[in-house]
Amino acid sequence: MSGSIERLPDPRTCRIIIVRFGLVQQKKQSDKHRRSARMMSGPGVKDIGDSQQDRRASQRGRGFVQERMIAKAMIDEGAPAVGDGGLSGRRAALGALLGGAMLAGLAAKARADVSSSVDTVPLQFALHLQYLVTNYLQFVIYGDNRQLPAQYIRAGEIYGDAGVIAANLQQVKFPNQADRVLQNCIQEIADEHWYQTLTIRGMLRGDSVAQSEIDYRPSAFTAMLQLAGAIGPDEQFSPYASPTNCLIGAEMLLSVQASAYASILADMTNPIAMAMMSSMAATLASSVTSVRSMLYDLSAQTPAILTMLDKLAAWRDAIDGTAITDRGLSPAMQADGQIATRLTVTDANGLYLTRTPQQVLNVLFMTSSAATAGGFFPKGISGGIVRSAAN
């Protein structure tokens, strides 16, 4: 296996596919109305009414064309570049999902726009989490200038306030064959997050929030692990120092994001937004399990990984309130005396553990108090949810 990075499909290709789909659907719609007019007019009638029917079909299709142009704007230059290899299974599925979601939104009579709806606030919160995780994963894999660009972190669509470009990130080196297996898995999750971010922005459109200042310095990760007792008060941790540390950093962010999406989903009302968030929540749960599985395998050589993640999970579970919201990674003894792994973050009923957005901010602000900034967000976030819970 080579060490080259597989890139994502060229976004211009995605745009062409969407545009061609729109043109074909518009033509089908126009042809359908022509045939209907002829059948209603009876045999022997000339196509005098065709021009009128064409105009009506064109009017009906105009909204479709406008929506098609919006879809073109959802994916613009700056996405991961195209490479030689084909898409892996999960990434191909995500591409199908993204394309399907956009095409469904184009064809639906009900607008997918969630502006001024009850779904706007949770989606804005989800977008902040997307910014947080996407920048980290993209940079550790691809390196310089692979954080989200200005056009994907501004408020609104075109003229909103500028977001704060992510800084203090580092690319992680994956020097050997075993490390490259981890690299490929993280890369897949990173690319999924890129397109998830664009999809959420496409749903919010003018209500998209700007990216806040995010602290990606090793000291931010160190602070959380020290608070959790996962490392000593004088120890330092850098998620960029090794592939294993990179995975631990990913778990620190992904686990919190996944628990948030599972909670947000219950409050969604827009059917298109619900479908989108359902799929994203499932994808995130799968990603967290993948990362935890890789860390569990690595713990065979480095048992301290389990201790670190157990303490981290216990701290997260305590700082966000009394409800159970997390679980460690060490295997647990079952009632029958058998040892069972805990790769998934689920409860006794097999349901994914959730956090409210306010509880998520407890973890990310690194406080059990009601606060509006701290931890990874030194200046807080914008939108309708900005304060952590008072626990």
Side-chain angles (χ1 to χ4, degrees), residues 78-96:
V82 69
D84 297 330
L87 292 179
S88 59
R90 273 180 25 154
R91 202 178 321 150
L94 181 78

Side-chain angles (χ1 to χ4, degrees), residues 3-317:
S4 61
I5 301 294
E6 179 189 352
R7 305 288 187 171
L8 283 177
D10 190 333
R12 289 166 294 193
T13 304
C14 299
R15 290 209 306 249
I16 292 171
I17 292 173
I18 295 170
V19 171
R20 287 180 177 173
F21 178 88
L23 294 174
V24 170
Q25 294 302 312
Q26 185 182 2
K27 183 177 185 301
K28 286 183 178 179
Q29 191 175 24
S30 177
D31 291 345
K32 177 181 177 182
H33 287 293
R34 269 205 206 98
R35 289 194 298 269
S36 298
R38 288 168 182 162
M39 291 175 64
M40 293 176 63
S41 300
V45 179
K46 294 182 179 180
D47 293 341
I48 297 175
D50 278 1
S51 59
Q52 294 177 340
Q53 295 297 330
D54 286 346
R55 284 195 296 272
R56 292 172 185 171
S58 176
Q59 291 171 353
R60 293 185 181 97
R62 192 171 298 149
F64 182 93
V65 175
Q66 291 172 346
E67 292 295 324
R68 170 168 54 83
M69 298 304 295
I70 293 171
K72 285 173 62 182
M74 285 178 62
I75 300 180
D76 206 341
E77 284 71 14
V82 69
D84 297 330
L87 292 179
S88 59
R90 273 180 25 154
R91 202 178 321 150
L94 181 78
L97 165 69
L98 177 61
M102 286 192 294
L103 296 180
L106 297 177
K109 293 181 180 179
R111 293 288 299 274
D113 192 346
V114 295
S115 297
S116 303
S117 79
V118 295
D119 295 333
T120 301
V121 170
L123 282 176
Q124 288 175 332
F125 184 77
L127 185 57
H128 279 296
L129 300 183
Q130 284 294 141
Y131 291 152
L132 171 68
V133 183
T134 302
N135 285 312
Y136 173 77
L137 294 175
Q138 284 284 319
F139 210 100
V140 296
I141 289 296
Y142 294 112
D144 290 343
N145 300 319
R146 290 311 300 267
Q147 64 268 60
L148 288 164
Q151 66 266 33
Y152 293 154
I153 62 172
R154 66 163 56 96
E157 294 182 283
I158 300 175
Y159 302 111
D161 294 338
V164 181
I165 295 288
N168 300 309
L169 291 141
Q170 301 174 37
Q171 186 174 15
V172 176
K173 296 180 180 179
F174 297 84
N176 57 51
Q177 189 79 5
D179 291 337
R180 292 188 190 118
V181 174
L182 307 180
Q183 178 186 27
N184 290 339
C185 292
I186 300 172
Q187 179 192 340
E188 184 174 351
I189 299 171
D191 293 340
E192 288 170 353
H193 269 72
W194 181 281
Y195 285 119
Q196 287 170 355
T197 301
L198 301 192
T199 302
I200 293 179
R201 286 187 61 87
M203 291 292 291
L204 285 169
R205 298 171 60 179
D207 287 324
S208 296
V209 290
Q211 178 172 289
S212 303
E213 180 180 334
I214 304 174
D215 189 353
Y216 289 107
R217 294 174 300 172
S219 58
F221 293 87
T222 295
M224 179 176 284
L225 292 174
Q226 287 178 342
L227 288 170
I231 61 175
D234 297 325
E235 291 184 80
Q236 301 296 314
F237 174 85
S238 173
Y240 315 114
S242 69
T244 298
N245 283 17
C246 177
L247 280 173
I248 293 173
E251 201 277 344
M252 294 169 71
L253 302 180
L254 282 168
S255 288
V256 180
Q257 183 189 23
S259 67
Y261 279 29
S263 172
I264 288 172
L265 180 60
D267 298 325
M268 306 297 291
T269 60
N270 182 290
I272 297 177
M274 288 176 64
M276 177 191 75
M277 289 303 296
S278 295
S279 184
M280 286 190 183
T283 301
L284 277 172
S286 174
S287 297
V288 173
T289 301
S290 296
V291 169
R292 288 167 66 91
S293 297
M294 289 184 283
L295 286 168
Y296 184 78
D297 291 340
L298 291 170
S299 71
Q301 299 296 324
T302 312
I305 292 174
L306 296 181
T307 303
M308 179 180 289
L309 291 181
D310 288 348
K311 291 183 177 181
L312 180 62
W315 174 79
R316 292 187 302 222
D317 189 46

